[in-house]
C-alpha cells in the first residue's frame, strides 16, 4: 500500500548499497540538507511532501552526517527533526527515519523503553529486539 511505498524505497536503497557508511562528514552538504528538509517539513496540507527526497537527504552521507543534520536542524529551527518528520510521516516510516538520525544504541534503548513503558510490557517487541541482538552478536 501507499504507507509502505516509502519504507520500501528506504530499505531498497540501503540493501542496494546506496548508503554511504564510511567517509568524511560533509558539513556544507549537511547544512544544505537541513534547509531542504525544513522546506519539505513545512509544506502545507495540499502540497506534496516528498518522502523519497527525505530518504535521499538522510542517506547522502555517513550515519554521523545524518546525526549532524538532526543536530543542526534543531539548532536552527528550535524544533527537533524527529518531531518535524513525525507530523508528516506514517508511524513505521517515521520510526525508520528516526533510526537513521540516532546511533544504533540510542535507537535500541528508545525502542526498549517504549516497549516497557506504562501499564504492561509489549513482549513481542522485546523478543524481536533482544532476539535480533542475540543473532547479531554471534
Amino acid at each position: 500500500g501507499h504507507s509502505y511505498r516509502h519504507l520500501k524505497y528506504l530499505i531498497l536503497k540501503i540493501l542496494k548499497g546506496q548508503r554511504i557508511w564510511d567517509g568524511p562528514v560533509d558539513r556544507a552538504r549537511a547544512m544544505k540538507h537541513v534547509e531542504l528538509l525544513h522546506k519539505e517539513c513545512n509544506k502545507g496540507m495540499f502540497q506534496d511532501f516528498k518522502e523519497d527526497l527525505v530518504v535521499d537527504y538522510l542517506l547522502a552521507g555517513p550515519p554521523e552526517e545524518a546525526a549532524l543534520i538532526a543536530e543542526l536542524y534543531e539548532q536552527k529551527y528550535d524544533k527537533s527533526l524527529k518531531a518535524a518528520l513525525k507530523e508528516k510521516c506514517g508511524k513505521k516510516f517515521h520510526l525508520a527515519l528516526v533510526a537513521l538520525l540516532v546511533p544504533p544504541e540510542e535507537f535500541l534503548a528508545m525502542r526498549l523503553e517504549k516497549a516497557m513503558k506504562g501499564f504492561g510490557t509489549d513482549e513481542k517487541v522485546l523478543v524481536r529486539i533482544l532476539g535480533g541482538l542475540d543473532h547479531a552478536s554471534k
Side-chain angles (χ1 to χ4, degrees):
H2 172 73
S3 61
Y4 293 109
R5 183 170 57 93
H6 308 297
L7 190 57
K8 182 178 171 185
Y9 178 79
L10 167 62
I11 292 167
L12 287 175
K13 283 203 65 125
I14 292 172
L15 289 175
K16 288 178 182 177
Q18 295 173 348
R19 167 107 207 230
I20 297 168
W21 292 99
D22 298 316
V25 170
D26 184 336
R27 190 172 179 88
R29 178 176 55 203
M31 290 171 72
K32 178 182 164 198
H33 287 165
V34 164
E35 299 298 324
L36 294 168
L37 285 164
H38 183 68
K39 185 178 172 189
E40 280 303 312
C41 289
N42 281 313
K43 284 186 173 179
M45 193 163 58
F46 298 109
Q47 292 175 298
D48 187 25
F49 177 73
K50 301 210 177 347
E51 290 90 343
D52 295 356
L53 287 179
V54 172
V55 169
D56 292 343
Y57 300 151
L58 295 178
L59 294 181
E64 297 82 12
E65 191 170 314
L68 177 63
I69 288 170
E71 185 183 318
L72 293 172
Y73 190 97
E74 189 162 357
Q75 286 173 7
K76 183 160 188 173
Y77 298 109
D78 209 25
K79 179 178 189 175
S80 76
L81 181 55
K82 285 191 261 185
L85 290 169
K86 189 172 190 169
E87 296 169 9
K88 295 290 183 179
C89 301
K91 205 171 173 180
K92 290 186 181 191
F93 183 59
H94 178 257
L95 190 62
L97 293 177
V98 169
L100 297 177
L101 298 174
V102 298
E105 302 80 17
E106 187 178 327
F107 183 72
L108 287 173
M110 191 176 78
R111 296 286 292 150
L112 288 169
E113 180 186 31
K114 186 173 187 244
M116 295 182 283
K117 193 174 179 181
F119 190 72
T121 298
D122 190 339
E123 287 145 4
K124 286 182 183 178
V125 172
L126 286 179
V127 168
R128 253 193 335 260
I129 293 170
L130 297 174
L133 288 175
D134 186 49
H135 294 297
S137 64
K138 287 184 179 176

